[in-house]
Amino acid sequence: MNLAVAEAKMTDEDSRSVLWRKLRSTLHRHRQFPDADWSLDEPVLITLEELYHRFAPADPIERVAWLFDQTVELPDRASAGWETEARDIEEARKRAAAAVYEAGGILAIQKLARRAEAAGYIGKALYDAGLPSTEFDSLLEFFLKAEDPSERDVAHGIVVTASREREKEWFEGLIEKAVAENWNEEALLTLLRAMPAERWVWERVSEIGGSIETTYWRTARVMWIDDREDDIVYAVRKLIQMGVPLRAVGLAGRMRKSDLPSDLVIEVLREAAKQPFTGDVDHNELGMFRHHVAELMQILDNRDDVERDALATLEWNYLEVLEHSQRPAKALLAELSEQPKLFVDLLKAVYRKSDDEDSDADDPVPGTPEMAKAVASRAYALLGHWNRIPGTQNDGSIDPVRLTEWIKEARKLAREAGRLDIGDSRIGHMLSSSPDGKDGNWPAEAVREVIDLFHSKEMIDGVVVGKMNRRGVTTRMPRDGGLLERREEARYRNSADAIIFDYPRAANALIRLADYYEQDARREDEQAERLDWGG
């Protein structure tokens, strides 16, 4: 083979290393899928494997360091199934770590740790290799006290692996030794973080206290705990206490099947809202956070000991999160449909006073421009989602008296705030979410009544625009033309004819909707005709 000839002449170590890795990947892929049409025959692979070994680095550390990467591709014939392949990798790591230690002792392992991508696997391999106890203890202490993080990862791997079979007394002895001999903080933290996420460890951390306790809770992996409710509550409270409520949300969300107290769930969500994600955010982490928030909110929905005000406050804080979940801000929307003042407060957060409206009210000065922008964005989103008509009852019917009184009060407050026109427009958008009336015509009778009662152009405009926007996306065959739009047109014209004598202004809004769909139908017809002209 040409490559065999080239190998003898190739002296550049970097080039040899690249080819060595490429050959290993090729061997792994073809031996993993030996029956594939593209897979090379085994005799060819045997030849490539001989070349692979010839390109291997002379340094014994470099020859095995790749085994301690996160992803390992063995060049040998692969075992059937990922579980057996994982065992093959573990065996290869164990043999490699034991050979390096036997040849060069702790210093050789130190060099390997600095070269490896995931040095924790070195610690696991050394423990599984079964070192003599005297050598094991000195090796563990050496790497616990190491200054290099990769070297401390070796110790982490040893302790994590030991936790599967060692008794509690062994771990307690290590802690006592570290405290008594005044090991540095990193050594003690490396030890504690590698220990099982169990209550007795946390209590020992609490006894040590100080920066050790704070750093432990901010960095230790306590995201998975057996369903021991008391331990979960303890861990969640500690995460909040140590200033990492975002991690507490993750733990509470993962342990959602546990019966966490409602006040603790509320506290977790409240504190996490004060600590937004900053800097380079991991999108997976952000996605999981949003998922956990929505699930915790659903837990609170099913509790009898949670006030609606508390839910509404949380929904306001997490409005952006709930927008992308299946759990709407229902408590907040209910509050909005019962409190005209809240509605006007949202208007003031989003819209400036109208120049042609008289108002003596002074708007509150926002704390900072950034805060004002954030509040305005949230308020605008909430108004956009507002689809609960004031006066709506449990059976879906609308109490006309309550609806009328709500609008009267809201318009009064909006006028005082210099925002009557935009207030009427937003009320119209909300009214466009009305169901059909008892007579089968849209909108419901109570909505027809207020449209005619208040006779506001802006409100009627809001109803028309809001209803058009609520239609959403439509699908049709290319040559269907305006069939769908004509159905909508007929619907609104029929409803207008049915209510025009009792509710003329509401009927006018329906006629405008019908006219819009008539025009839209013509546009769709023209587009379909152009397709026909084109063949």
Side-chain angles (χ1 to χ4, degrees), residues 58-117:
D59 186 340
I61 301 297
E62 291 294 325
R63 282 202 301 271
V64 299
W66 61 274
L67 281 167
F68 303 97
D69 290 347
Q70 290 289 358
T71 301
V72 174
E73 296 179 327
L74 293 175
D76 313 296
R77 182 181 294 276
S79 299
W82 68 268
E83 290 182 337
T84 52
E85 184 178 3
R87 285 196 293 270
D88 290 345
I89 292 172
E90 286 192 2
E91 285 299 317
R93 284 170 170 166
K94 186 163 62 174
R95 291 193 301 270
V100 169
Y101 180 73
E102 184 177 353
I106 288 178
L107 295 181
I109 297 295
Q110 183 182 39
K111 182 179 178 182
L112 178 60
R114 293 181 178 181
R115 174 62 184 80
E117 180 184 288

Side-chain angles (χ1 to χ4, degrees), residues 237-248:
R237 292 197 185 282
K238 277 294 183 182
L239 289 168
I240 296 172
Q241 180 185 345
M242 298 303 163
V244 280
L246 295 177
R247 303 188 79 211

Side-chain angles (χ1 to χ4, degrees), residues 432 442 462-471 491-492 513:
S432 72
W442 187 86
V463 170
V464 173
V465 174
K467 189 61 176 175
M468 290 189 297
N469 290 342
R470 290 180 192 276
R471 187 186 185 205
R491 176 192 175 201
Y492 290 120
L513 282 167

